[in-house]
Amino acid sequence: MSTSERKPLLLDFEKPLVELENRIKQIRQLAKENGVDVSDQIYQLEGRSVQLRQEIFGSLSPGQRLQLARHPRRPSTLDYIQSISEEWIELHGDRSGGDDPALVGGIGRVNGRSVVMLGHQKGRDTKDNVARNFGMASPGGYRKAMRLMNHANRFKMPIFTFIDTPGAWAGVKAEELGQGEAIAYNLREMFRLDVPIICTVIGEGGSGGALGIGVGDRLLMFEHAVYTVATPEACAAILWKDAKKAPQAAEALKITAGDLKHFGILDDMLAEPLGGAHSDPIAASEILKTSLLQHLSELESLSPQELRDRRYQKFRQIGVFLEASA
């Protein structure tokens, strides 16, 4: 079946909207077949469709945002890279014997500026997801990422990272290969880099798997993306011994862009096209590119020492709060 013939994947909260849009199509078709003018009725229904879309996507719960963040048609790292860059060369290998397809990266040119771009890469279908391990990177993936970031530092190129993973690969083989050490090494080394680092959560940002490429001068996040210490399913299984309570866990974890903006962790929340990034990937790419260039322009005015100092202080302040006395 070709891509154009595939039925769109509908989330539960989208069904009333799709039903209304199908009704509009049916009325149009009947009016065309019978030569009847129903333009007024169509106009009213289309207005209701726009209003309903705004109501639905303007009041999503954390659990519903998580569904959008995991949508199989949501733009991926490679989608964004190919859309925002004039040139792009993917680089492979961690120089230790492996090349992890769950974490991709390379050199590109954005608005005439040479940059290194890297991020987690999920698949579009079951076969592709298996090949890319559902975006869960291995130790080799994080070592490849660090190799590319060292390359960027050597040649004074800014770094853009794109976060979209439920977490690092948690298999026995990953632990044997040093998963924890690879992520910890990246955390330490990213603090010492002299070039601007801008990290963007484009979908699902999960646990240490996200942090392995998430230490930057600026953290951006799409409106319907999520960023969490553990998946809501894992949290629910730990706290309530019931993964079905994931929506309740999603609420408690404070995983949305709005929550992180409130806590001062997020630097910029990127608005998505109405209906989510997957409804208009080109528009989402333009929003991302504009924000990246804006933040890069601000960061390039800082010296390497200022970048390192501010980066360090940014992360030192995360989680610090004052408890008001009764």
Side-chain angles (χ1 to χ4, degrees):
M1 181 181 290
S2 67
T3 303
S4 60
E5 293 173 330
R6 292 175 184 167
K7 291 183 179 180
L9 189 149
L10 293 181
L11 302 176
D12 291 340
F13 55 86
E14 293 179 303
K15 289 179 180 178
L17 179 62
V18 173
E19 290 172 359
L20 179 57
E21 291 176 344
N22 288 338
R23 182 182 171 194
I24 293 173
K25 291 179 182 178
Q26 290 172 358
I27 293 175
R28 283 184 186 277
Q29 185 63 32
L30 288 172
K32 183 178 180 180
E33 292 173 355
N34 295 286
V36 180
D37 182 12
V38 292
S39 55
D40 288 341
Q41 294 91 323
I42 294 293
Y43 180 78
Q44 291 176 357
L45 288 173
E46 287 179 339
R48 174 56 186 154
S49 176
V50 172
Q51 181 183 5
L52 182 60
R53 185 178 291 271
Q54 291 172 338
E55 290 173 358
I56 290 173
F57 287 92
S59 59
L60 295 175
S61 68
Q64 289 171 330
R65 291 184 191 275
L66 179 62
Q67 287 181 277
L68 277 178
R70 293 172 172 172
H71 199 289
R73 298 289 171 232
R74 192 172 179 85
S76 68
T77 290
L78 287 176
D79 291 330
Y80 282 122
I81 287 176
Q82 291 165 0
S83 181
I84 69 176
S85 61
E86 298 93 53
E87 296 179 70
W88 160 249
I89 300 174
E90 185 175 351
L91 301 178
H92 298 272
D94 64 352
R95 297 300 184 266
S96 296
D99 180 41
D100 184 7
L103 207 158
V104 299
I107 302 172
R109 192 178 298 277
V110 179
N111 206 32
R113 183 77 162 86
S114 295
V115 299
V116 165
M117 296 181 281
L118 55 100
H120 305 98
Q121 181 64 34
K122 294 180 178 178
R124 283 292 178 217
D125 51 34
T126 301
K127 183 179 179 180
D128 195 18
N129 260 319
V130 170
R132 294 192 182 275
N133 202 30
F134 297 84
M136 296 184 292
S138 68
Y142 291 104
R143 291 175 182 134
K144 175 171 67 173
M146 197 65 241
R147 179 177 76 82
L148 296 180
M149 288 188 279
N150 280 328
H151 182 84
N153 196 58
R154 179 182 180 185
F155 293 100
K156 309 302 180 186
M157 291 185 286
I159 299 168
F160 296 159
T161 76
F162 304 104
I163 298 168
D164 187 17
T165 179
W169 179 32
V172 173
K173 190 64 177 178
E175 296 303 319
E176 291 176 350
L177 295 173
Q179 184 71 286
E181 183 273 340
I183 293 174
Y185 182 83
N186 282 22
L187 295 178
R188 185 189 72 186
E189 292 298 296
M190 290 182 78
F191 278 108
R192 69 162 179 81
L193 299 180
D194 296 330
V195 296
I197 307 171
I198 303 176
C199 308
T200 307
V201 184
I202 61 173
E204 185 178 11
S207 193
L211 287 174
I213 58 169
V215 176
D217 303 292
R218 299 287 167 85
L219 176 62
L220 318 182
M221 189 170 170
F222 271 106
E223 177 185 2
H224 299 313
V226 297
Y227 203 17
T228 175
V229 67
T231 64
E233 292 85 356
C235 177
I238 293 168
L239 294 182
W240 298 293
K241 313 299 181 186
D242 185 1
K244 293 181 180 179
K245 292 190 176 181
Q248 185 178 341
E251 186 75 39
L253 283 168
K254 304 299 181 186
I255 63 177
T256 69
D259 292 326
L260 297 178
K261 185 73 173 177
H262 173 73
F263 291 129
I265 297 172
L266 187 62
D267 295 297
D268 194 3
M269 180 169 66
L270 310 182
E272 296 190 24
L274 192 59
H278 64 281
S279 68
D280 193 343
I282 300 301
S285 297
E286 286 300 318
I287 291 168
L288 175 61
K289 182 177 181 179
T290 299
S291 183
L292 287 172
L293 292 175
Q294 176 189 338
H295 285 282
L296 179 59
S297 176
E298 295 170 1
L299 292 170
E300 286 187 317
S301 65
L302 302 175
S303 69
Q305 185 64 51
E306 287 175 317
L307 284 172
R308 293 194 303 269
D309 290 345
R310 291 190 179 200
R311 196 180 303 148
Y312 176 79
Q313 290 301 324
K314 172 183 175 63
F315 280 83
R316 288 290 293 178
Q317 291 169 8
I318 291 176
V320 175
F321 65 93
L322 295 176
E323 186 174 352
S325 58

